Amino acid sequence: MRFFLGTHQPSWLARDLGVPLLVSHRRLADRRSLPRATGPWACDSGGFTELSMHGRWRIDERGYIAALRRYATEISNLAWAAPMDHMTEAHVLARTGATVRVHQHRTVANFLRLRDLAPELPIIPVLQGQSIADYNRCADFYERHGVDLAALPLVGVGSVCRRQHTAEVEQIMRSLSARGYRLHAFGAKVLGLGRYADTISSSDSASWSFRGRYVPGCTPSHRSESNCLRFALAWHTRLLTSLRAEEPGDQRDRGPTSARGTGPRARGQKTGRTRPGSPRPRQAGGRTAARAQNARAS
């Protein structure tokens, strides 16, 4: 499984850390100059904060696309970007005054719009919901609009970070994995990954920073460890080590296909590179065979 270290320090992108980073659009949008990334990174849209604070998106699709194109050009090495999705946590719904189903329709419509405006950008679709049925219904919405999620390199799963350690979220991940999707779990933490890391391709978290608020700084210039690169990297290393210790055979982090264990690389077959948002070659047997091949017992 590939793990993106969440950070609110864009300058880390220019450091040769050997760790993929996730940085929010909200941390990049107002910068006059941008760092040049030395390795792969992902761009979060900042939707959770945007909707929690304002109850709506204050930027339109064209504005977001313009920002992503700037990041792709000036920062480079953009692995993927999240869409302007609509989360479905209860407090977010209370802020927007809309229902889960409305948020799902808005999320799907936004992805379709962004894809039409910039098909060259690696924008991934994101599934939103609360229950297992919700997430599968959201997936069906995409399929009805001609988006073959099983043919894409990555599909995000949102609105799970505050309950990521529960049995319900594990069932959600296994249900979506059984449909043949390569999943990215937004904000999944240690307890959650311990339950369902085998069902996802990647995840991210910045929980190290929250924990670091309560740890005294490692140098006189650090009041706490909430912004400390050394503390963040040590946390990232411990996380991967703990996950590998739970894997049969102590498997190593080999990128998006390793956690699934059923992709072409895991079977020793040759495969071409694809980017998020671009269709993958369909294998013989169609989606039914792919779903059966990727099914996991819960």
Side-chain angles (χ1 to χ4, degrees), residues 197-273:
D198 62 308
T199 71
I200 64 177
S201 293
S202 61
S203 184
D204 70 84
S205 179
S207 63
W208 65 269
S209 182
F210 180 80
R211 178 181 299 181
R213 296 177 189 177
Y214 306 99
V215 178
C218 60
T219 67
S221 62
H222 288 188
R223 184 168 57 184
S224 74
E225 296 289 66
S226 61
N227 294 306
C228 178
L229 175 58
R230 183 166 60 181
F231 183 82
L233 293 177
W235 177 89
H236 183 271
T237 298
R238 289 195 302 271
L239 172 64
L240 292 185
T241 300
S242 67
L243 292 176
R244 289 166 180 162
E246 297 178 2
E247 293 179 355
D250 191 27
Q251 296 175 2
R252 295 299 183 230
D253 181 9
R254 293 173 294 176
T257 58
S258 63
R260 300 298 294 267
T262 58
R265 292 177 190 169
R267 295 191 301 270
Q269 298 175 5
K270 293 182 179 180
T271 180
R273 290 176 176 252

Side-chain angles (χ1 to χ4, degrees), residues 66-190:
L68 289 181
R69 282 182 170 143
R70 181 189 176 211
Y71 306 154
T73 300
E74 297 184 25
I75 300 178
S76 75
N77 280 321
L78 178 62
W80 53 266
M84 301 162 63
D85 51 339
H86 283 65
M87 296 73 202
T88 55
E89 285 90 346
H91 78 278
V92 176
L93 296 177
R95 194 77 174 88
T96 65
T99 64
V100 170
R101 193 176 293 250
V102 168
H103 275 220
Q104 290 176 326
H105 279 293
R106 290 175 178 174
T107 295
V108 174
N110 175 261
F111 172 76
L112 295 173
R113 176 64 172 158
L114 295 178
R115 186 184 63 173
D116 289 343
L117 288 173
E120 80 282 2
L121 290 176
I123 301 171
I124 67 171
V126 174
L127 300 172
Q128 294 289 352
Q130 292 181 345
S131 66
I132 297 175
D134 288 340
Y135 282 94
N136 280 279
R137 182 177 65 231
C138 189
D140 292 338
F141 288 161
Y142 278 104
E143 301 282 354
R144 290 172 191 168
H145 285 86
V147 181
D148 188 354
L149 297 177
L152 299 179
L154 204 61
V155 176
V157 183
S159 301
V160 296
C161 74
R162 296 195 174 188
R163 54 196 177 108
Q164 43 82 33
H165 62 285
T166 65
E168 182 181 31
V169 171
E170 178 183 2
Q171 293 168 2
I172 288 169
M173 295 299 182
R174 295 192 182 282
S175 174
L176 297 174
S177 175
R179 296 180 69 142
Y181 303 160
R182 299 188 180 201
L183 304 175
H184 176 87
F186 281 97
K189 301 176 182 64
V190 177

Side-chain angles (χ1 to χ4, degrees), residues 6-12 22-24 27 206 208-210 226-227:
T7 177
H8 50 277
Q9 300 291 339
S11 62
W12 290 7
L22 182 132
V23 182
S24 173
R27 302 294 300 182
W208 65 269
S209 182
F210 180 80
S226 61
N227 294 306

